[in-house]
Amino acid sequence: MKLNKIQPGETYLRRQAVEYFLHHPDRIFNRKHPIQIVRCEGFSFSYATIDGNNRLFVAYLLGLDEVDIPIAKVIDIKGSEDDLDEIAHCIASYEEGVHSWSDLERRVVSESEYDHRIYSRMELDEEGCGDGLITLRKIYKPRLSLSKNKEVG
């Protein structure tokens, strides 16, 4: 699969993780923790990364054009809430202007900046814990609902 056809699932990456895989490229395609890609039907992108964003970004930096990763499943825009929750981060990154791996080049940040950028967008639940999924649902689910009602061609 062409790497440039896969939608990144993060808006920012942790510098420490990126540097780790740059120093250990043999671990990018680790069989114990496989990169997870899904096929997306009815979205602005055809494939999305569920797990392995740092590794695929490093693969891009190393000049790989294609990756041999099996598709974990197909997610349809008219699908279940669980399926849509699974790609909520991909939708968020797409809507925030991250459409390719090159868009992440200026979004590799320190651990503290990553935490600040990601967790500052989250709402707190009753226990005071941040829940990014609740926040993503509130922001992006109304848009998905509108899309679900349109004919997908």
Side-chain angles (χ1 to χ4, degrees):
M1 172 183 313
K2 295 277 187 191
L3 190 55
N4 65 0
K5 299 288 184 191
I6 304 169
Q7 170 63 34
E10 296 287 341
T11 51
Y12 294 93
L13 299 175
R14 290 181 172 98
R15 180 174 293 116
Q16 183 177 356
V18 170
E19 289 175 355
Y20 174 82
F21 288 111
L22 279 170
H23 288 80
H24 300 90
D26 56 312
R27 296 188 179 178
I28 292 174
F29 300 104
N30 183 333
R31 292 177 191 228
K32 286 186 180 180
H33 303 285
I35 294 171
Q36 294 184 16
I37 305 293
V38 294
R39 169 101 173 94
C40 304
E41 296 183 354
F43 294 91
S44 298
F45 45 87
S46 298
Y47 299 95
T49 311
I50 300 300
D51 187 27
N53 287 282
N54 292 299
R55 292 178 280 164
L56 287 178
F57 178 70
V58 170
Y60 155 78
L61 290 177
L62 294 174
L64 291 178
D65 293 324
E66 292 193 31
V67 292
D68 185 21
I69 301 170
I71 303 301
K73 66 194 270 184
V74 176
I75 295 179
D76 191 295
I77 197 166
K78 297 177 183 177
S80 72
E81 288 291 311
D82 288 341
D83 282 349
L84 295 176
D85 286 347
E86 201 167 349
I87 63 164
H89 291 283
C90 300
I91 295 165
S93 68
Y94 184 86
E95 291 201 358
E96 290 183 29
V98 177
H99 301 152
S100 68
W101 300 103
S102 64
D103 292 334
L104 286 168
E105 286 183 25
R106 287 180 274 155
R107 292 173 174 256
V108 178
V109 297
S110 68
E111 190 78 22
S112 61
E113 186 172 346
Y114 179 88
D115 289 346
H116 172 73
R117 289 183 178 272
I118 300 303
Y119 299 120
S120 66
R121 297 185 308 182
M122 293 183 185
E123 293 185 15
L124 300 180
D125 62 17
E126 292 103 31
E127 289 87 36
C129 297
D131 189 336
L133 193 52
I134 289 172
T135 304
L136 287 169
R137 281 182 182 154
K138 286 183 178 180
I139 295 171
Y140 299 106
K141 288 296 170 92
R143 295 179 194 162
L144 285 175
S145 296
L146 292 173
S147 298
K148 278 184 171 186
N149 295 328
K150 293 180 183 177
E151 282 297 315
V152 178

